[in-house]
Amino acid sequence: MKKVVVIGGGPAGMIAAGNAALNGNDVILFEKNEKLGKKLYITGKGRCNLTNASDPETLIKNTIGNPYFMYSAYYSFGSERTMEFFEGLGVSLKVERGNRVFPKSDKSSDIIKALDKFLKNSGVNVKLNSEIVDIIIEDNKVLGVVMKGKEKVLAQSVIIATGGLSYPVTGSDGAGYVFAKKGGHIISGLYPSLVPLKVSQKWCYILQGLSLKNISIEVKIRGKSVYKDFGEMMFTHFGVTGPLILSASRYITKRISENPEIYIDLKPALTEKELDLRILKDFEKFINRTFKNCLNELLPQKMIPVIIELSKINPDKRVNEITKEERKRICCLLKNLKLNIADTRGFSEAIITCGGVNVNEIDPSTMKSKIIDGLSFAGEVIDVDCFTGGFNLQVAFSTGYLAGINV
């Protein structure tokens, strides 16, 4: 029986530990927090979007960082097997818009309880409030770990599943990167990803709380388009957030110094010519009104004063006096509302970490280190990241599974 230590009681660590134990190993899972799955508890606003009901090829398409490293992992333990796994543990699941999978109860605690049950059934020895401060490596071989308080725990295999740097209040402090570096692993640049964005425009603060649906955005850096998508976003007291913005942030966060811009198309279903006709129709309908009183059917109430100010058209001007050139300015604003991105909200609000242990130094079919014998990795500590929609948790489950079955 091999002694296996798993560092980290998040989704990757729990799946890895349980599967390693089912393989006949003596497994200890160390978690520095007072409970397992602390970050998992807050995912999906407490509902836990645990995967995306998609085939492996779709999972790969939604993996931005090093997608092909995940090929074996997705085909070994993809979303279908993840759903079967949790349903087998008594969790009823549902599929929502965008193939997002949630527990029917809308409670992330049900997912954590199921994983806890899996650990108990597998015979894993779980140690809470137990922080690992070092790993023991000699002659390119892992020999165990050192706990806070200097107690050594010897083991033939160690799985690092410590997470990244995102949401540090849940215990993600980057310790796994330190352990990996000790073994000679390269850590790719670390950036917050799937993170809300700060903007320069002061008028954004006026719109805080306003959600926009069925809009499209385009991210441009140095005049070049780097990302486009359609969906939802929201204005906040600092700038913008929401599904569209979080996904866009992946293309922005590494290039903040290059002054990225986001262009919002408030009416993506209409061409500029069609939008001009729509505006003319509204103007004819409200022919005796002023400009400020004729936009109610075109825009959310909160946005009207902002568009008026940006258009530089007198708000008290009668609509029958508005020129063709002024209408063109309105159309241009509605189709290309520009935001200058000043910064991100950092790791404290990032859903995931972009960067991590270099994938060229990990065997993609086993998650074992190519450098240190007996060392494996699972989850966010690896340089793999995805769009929103349950894809990042699937990375945790898929890599955790491979790491567990292969020790």
Side-chain angles (χ1 to χ4, degrees), residues 4 9 37 42-43 53 81 84 125 132 155-156 178 186 211-212 236 245 305 316 343 346 368 375 407:
V4 179
I42 60 172
T43 60
R81 285 197 66 182
E84 287 171 357
N125 183 5
I132 301 300
Q156 287 83 44
V178 177
I186 294 168
S211 289
L212 299 177
T236 69
I245 299 301
D316 295 314
D343 205 350
K368 288 182 178 182
L375 186 64
V407 292

Side-chain angles (χ1 to χ4, degrees), residues 54-280:
S54 302
D55 60 34
E57 294 301 323
T58 303
L59 297 178
I60 288 167
K61 284 176 186 173
N62 283 277
T63 304
I64 321 160
N66 298 306
Y68 292 104
F69 172 80
M70 290 298 299
Y71 197 89
S72 291
Y74 285 151
Y75 272 96
S76 298
F77 197 87
S79 59
E80 189 176 341
R81 285 197 66 182
T82 298
M83 292 170 73
E84 287 171 357
F85 170 78
F86 282 104
E87 285 170 337
L89 289 165
V91 182
S92 296
L93 303 175
K94 60 180 176 178
V95 180
E96 294 189 0
R97 181 180 52 83
N99 289 331
R100 289 168 165 84
V101 181
F102 295 88
K104 274 187 182 175
S105 64
D106 284 330
K107 292 179 181 176
S108 57
S109 56
D110 285 353
I111 299 299
I112 297 166
K113 285 173 188 172
L115 287 167
D116 191 39
K117 180 180 176 182
F118 173 58
L119 293 174
K120 285 186 172 71
N121 292 347
S122 307
V124 175
N125 183 5
V126 177
K127 299 283 189 183
L128 300 175
N129 296 305
S130 300
E131 186 176 352
I132 301 300
V133 295
D134 199 5
I135 57 172
I136 307 165
I137 296 172
E138 287 181 17
D139 300 324
N140 293 328
K141 182 171 182 163
V142 73
L143 299 179
V145 297
V146 181
M147 296 177 66
K148 194 173 185 178
K150 305 304 178 185
E151 181 188 345
K152 292 181 180 179
V153 179
L154 301 181
Q156 287 83 44
S157 289
V158 172
I159 300 174
I160 297 175
T162 49
L165 288 168
S166 57
Y167 284 128
V169 292
T170 63
S172 301
D173 60 3
Y177 305 130
V178 177
F179 302 152
K181 276 183 182 178
K182 182 175 181 181
H185 280 276
I186 294 168
I187 307 301
S188 306
L190 303 171
Y191 299 89
S193 191
L194 304 187
V195 62
L197 300 171
K198 297 179 184 178
V199 302
S200 302
Q201 281 80 357
K202 300 298 180 189
W203 52 259
C204 267
Y205 312 142
I206 300 168
L207 300 179
Q208 63 179 290
L210 175 65
S211 289
L212 299 177
K213 295 182 179 181
N214 302 317
I215 55 106
S216 65
I217 65 168
E218 181 175 13
V219 177
K220 289 185 179 181
I221 300 177
R222 297 184 185 273
K224 185 181 177 183
S225 179
V226 297
Y227 177 77
K228 290 180 183 179
D229 205 357
F230 174 88
E232 300 177 26
M233 62 167 283
M234 186 173 80
F235 291 96
T236 69
H237 65 285
F238 56 77
V240 284
T241 188
L244 268 183
I245 299 301
L246 296 180
S247 291
S249 74
R250 174 57 174 76
Y251 296 87
I252 290 171
T253 188
K254 292 183 180 180
R255 303 179 69 182
I256 286 292
S257 62
E258 297 178 65
N259 304 312
E261 300 166 332
I262 290 180
Y263 291 84
I264 306 171
D265 186 347
L266 295 165
K267 302 291 176 184
L270 302 175
T271 63
E272 283 206 23
K273 187 175 180 180
E274 289 167 339
L275 181 57
D276 186 41
L277 290 172
R278 164 70 201 275
I279 291 168
L280 265 176

